[in-house]
Amino acid sequence: QVQLVESGGGLVQAGGSLRLSCAASGSIFSINAMGWYRQAPGKQRELVAQITIGGSTNYADSVKGRFTISRDNAKNTVYLQMNSLKPEDTGVYICNADRVLTSIPMSLNNYWGQGTQVTVSS
């Protein structure tokens, strides 16, 4: 069983910064990609940023130049540094681990965290 534990959300004023962390635990052999999605009230869940095991990154247009995603493969942890935050960045940020290969039992699955609230006040 794989668990994703997120931390780092909170309330911040517009223009401020937050750093999110998501640590995956379990009998993990490898994780193909890790990323962050955002769920805002009344809106569909959207991809914010994703990073592959090789370090390739993908960002939503709305966060390019402000957010930076990184990962520590040895710790199975992904980070999201969010700068110059805007009120429209408000939402629940949900960690995703895509194509997680586990050894005990041997399986290949996709996992989601519980989410962490980010609120940006104007």
Side-chain angles (χ1 to χ4, degrees), residues 5-6 9-11 18-19 33 39 55 59 61-62 66 71-72 75 79 83 85 89 93 96 98 101 105 116:
V5 178
E6 300 125 325
L11 173 64
L18 284 173
R19 187 181 190 231
Q39 181 79 60
Y59 295 93
D61 287 342
S62 61
R66 300 188 296 122
R71 68 186 279 180
D72 185 332
K75 296 181 179 179
Y79 307 95
N83 298 329
L85 282 160
D89 294 321
Y93 283 69
N96 173 258
D98 181 55
L101 180 62
T116 184

Side-chain angles (χ1 to χ4, degrees), residues 18-100:
L18 284 173
R19 187 181 190 231
L20 306 182
S21 299
C22 171
S25 62
S27 301
I28 298 170
F29 182 75
S30 66
I31 304 175
N32 179 61
M34 300 187 78
W36 292 93
Y37 287 72
R38 177 168 65 201
Q39 181 79 60
K43 294 185 178 181
Q44 288 189 329
R45 183 177 296 186
E46 61 173 345
L47 174 67
V48 175
Q50 187 180 61
I51 184 168
T52 69
I53 194 170
S56 297
T57 58
N58 180 37
Y59 295 93
D61 287 342
S62 61
V63 307
K64 285 180 180 177
R66 300 188 296 122
F67 291 10
T68 302
I69 191 169
S70 60
R71 68 186 279 180
D72 185 332
N73 291 330
K75 296 181 179 179
N76 291 322
T77 299
V78 64
Y79 307 95
L80 186 66
Q81 178 66 43
M82 305 186 293
N83 298 329
S84 303
L85 282 160
K86 303 176 181 180
E88 51 264 44
D89 294 321
T90 294
V92 177
Y93 283 69
I94 306 162
C95 179
N96 173 258
D98 181 55
R99 286 194 285 167
V100 181

